[in-house]
Amino acid sequence: MNFSNTYVWLDEVFYEKTRPTPVQAPQLLLWNSSLAEQLMISNELKQDPVALAQAFSGNHIMPGSEPIATAYAGHQFGHFVPQLGDGRAHLLGEVLDQFGQRFDIQLKGSGPTMYSRGGDGRCAVGPAVREFIMSEAMNALGVPTTRCLAVVTTGEPVFRESLLPGAIVTRVASSHLRIGTFQFIAARDDHQALKTLCDYTIERHYPELKEEGPNQYIGLIDKVIARQIHLVADWMRVGFIHGVMNTDNTSLSGETIDYGPCAMMGNYDPQTVYSSIDTMGRYAFGNQPEIAQWNISRLAECLLPLINADTNKAIDQVGPIIAEFPNRFKQAYMEMIGKKLGLTSFQQKDQKLIFSILNRLKEKSMDYTVTFDLLTKSLMSEALASEVKNELEECFDLWQKRLSEQRAGPREVQDLMRRHNPVVIPRNHHVEAVIQACEHTGKATLAENFLQVLRSPYEELADTSLYQDPPGDGDEDYQTFCGT
Ligand code: AMP
Ligand code: MG
């Protein structure tokens, strides 16, 4: 790999230089060939599974790699933890892809670091496969996300409630800058380090802000808001529940990061929660926008000293931008649902139609993905139109009436809807079955079959129908766990 590292040139307050702990018998389980192409990994390496397993387990440190564990803090479920950091991850370095875009290459499960806080630094194969499948699905769905290049099994057990096979996942991210990174530095009251971090972030993700001089830190908040709004609206478009939207899991680049306890919503209900530790429903499907705003408020607090030496003045400058979040989100959200319903241009009066359709879905416990897929297909099929009309009743008629007021014909409307309504999502019961098969067999055959379908989520392939079924029990007892 062609490393060109930048983060490691920052002061050592931002990280620890530390190497992965070698593992006994690394074996490549999952490999992402198209991502490998994009990252221009050499043919020599790509064609040698043993070398790949050595490199992406951390047993062999590739030339140019300068492994570090990054420092960060974070609010976990609303409670501030001043030091978290990569307790089981190593940032191998950064590479430029074929388009000149910079990516972090990070191993997760690669051994303890100074941030491990008593943890073993390891990862079980289940969570590693989950991150690979879910991030690949999200990427194909068009949702901004970190990706996975490889999953390597370690040949070593990890000790959780039971003994589980261990694995290391290679995460590829636009960066690992998190709101928690800013919180870590801000908590140290180190003005210079804070400025360094902000300038680094602007250079890496928002270089256009550099021209804005002293206003660039306010600009940074505004840009992060825009990306988070885009991200969360897109999560809600496909029914994604992140599950652990702590500030350390909120990326400055606006990518989905950390697939620990995530899940997909089946029946439409904004209160849906699957994470076993989210007993209060803080991170429920419908709470995600509010939490994104809360998280950005924590970022803004960190930046106050750079915005104005007078804290009150800084708050006066930033406050209105944060306060605008709900309106900005609502607009993005309504436009997004509008497109799922085939509205070529959203008008304020459409809110009523949108709310009545969503309420209907909730009241009748209807599957979110299936219903929007049916609505899409109903434009070209009378049989399906009457099927969905049976369920939605007068909402269906209102929707049809609204569509008839548009100039666009059914074909054009259907194309628009198709682009926003997947035919298949990584449903929880299929994800779990595939993970279990990987755990038990040590082979990735089922995962590869599943991935093939998930990589074309807007098309019906030969095998798509194997994965479209909603869960028999409506996922009533389904629970996810943080992959620790
Ligand atoms: P996560 O739930 O993956 O966002 O992790 C939260 C924090 O716990 C991060 O600082 C992780 O590095 C740390 N952590 C999670 N699992 C482990 C582990 N097995 N060993 C050491 N640290 C861990
Ligand atoms: Mg995390």
Side-chain angles (χ1 to χ4, degrees), residues 69-80:
T70 68
Y72 53 86
H75 273 92
Q76 301 190 306
F77 289 90
H79 302 287
F80 187 61

Side-chain angles (χ1 to χ4, degrees), residues 85-161:
D86 291 330
R88 53 164 170 170
H90 292 80
L91 178 60
L92 293 180
E94 299 149 37
V95 296
L96 298 177
D97 76 354
Q98 58 191 160
F99 311 109
Q101 281 176 295
R102 181 172 297 278
F103 286 99
D104 276 5
I105 309 294
Q106 188 208 55
L107 299 182
K108 184 166 164 186
S110 42
T113 71
M114 68 179 273
Y115 309 112
S116 299
R117 297 172 298 146
D120 62 1
R122 293 300 183 192
C123 177
V125 72
V129 170
R130 166 183 275 270
E131 175 150 346
F132 193 110
I133 292 175
M134 292 304 297
S135 60
E136 207 51 15
M138 292 288 268
N139 180 62
L141 284 162
V143 183
T145 181
T146 63
R147 297 187 68 188
C148 291
L149 179 64
V151 173
V152 173
T153 51
T154 59
E156 293 175 8
V158 295
F159 301 88
R160 299 292 180 259
E161 281 92 50

Side-chain angles (χ1 to χ4, degrees), residues 72 178 248-249 258:
Y72 53 86
R178 312 149 186 267
D248 53 307
N249 293 331
D258 199 326

Side-chain angles (χ1 to χ4, degrees), residues 54-266:
Q54 288 292 323
F56 296 107
S57 61
N59 277 15
H60 168 65
I61 300 299
M62 291 175 274
S65 161
E66 299 168 275
I68 55 174
T70 68
Y72 53 86
H75 273 92
Q76 301 190 306
F77 289 90
H79 302 287
F80 187 61
V81 185
Q83 184 173 308
L84 291 163
D86 291 330
R88 53 164 170 170
H90 292 80
L91 178 60
L92 293 180
E94 299 149 37
V95 296
L96 298 177
D97 76 354
Q98 58 191 160
F99 311 109
Q101 281 176 295
R102 181 172 297 278
F103 286 99
D104 276 5
I105 309 294
Q106 188 208 55
L107 299 182
K108 184 166 164 186
S110 42
T113 71
M114 68 179 273
Y115 309 112
S116 299
R117 297 172 298 146
D120 62 1
R122 293 300 183 192
C123 177
V125 72
V129 170
R130 166 183 275 270
E131 175 150 346
F132 193 110
I133 292 175
M134 292 304 297
S135 60
E136 207 51 15
M138 292 288 268
N139 180 62
L141 284 162
V143 183
T145 181
T146 63
R147 297 187 68 188
C148 291
L149 179 64
V151 173
V152 173
T153 51
T154 59
E156 293 175 8
V158 295
F159 301 88
R160 299 292 180 259
E161 281 92 50
S162 57
L163 274 188
L164 299 168
I168 294 169
V169 56
T170 304
R171 182 194 278 160
V172 177
S174 289
S175 82
H176 282 84
L177 296 162
R178 312 149 186 267
I179 292 184
T181 316
F182 287 76
Q183 292 181 291
F184 177 80
I185 297 298
R188 302 168 69 99
D189 256 340
D190 182 342
H191 195 273
Q192 194 49 48
L194 184 63
K195 186 167 177 332
T196 302
L197 179 61
C198 286
D199 292 345
Y200 180 87
T201 306
I202 287 172
E203 181 71 47
R204 192 153 171 185
H205 295 301
Y206 307 100
E208 66 277 16
L209 286 176
K210 280 189 292 184
E211 282 150 32
E212 294 192 18
N215 284 333
Q216 60 186 314
Y217 303 114
I218 290 199
L220 178 60
I221 296 169
D222 186 63
K223 295 268 182 194
V224 172
I225 288 176
R227 294 239 184 135
Q228 284 293 314
I229 286 176
H230 175 74
L231 178 69
V232 175
D234 232 14
W235 285 354
M236 295 179 80
R237 177 175 64 83
V238 300
F240 179 79
I241 309 167
H242 184 281
V244 62
M245 286 177 73
N246 294 333
T247 54
D248 53 307
N249 293 331
T250 304
S251 162
L252 268 285
S253 73
E255 288 173 341
T256 312
I257 187 168
D258 199 326
Y259 284 88
C262 70
M264 302 304 292
M265 179 177 67

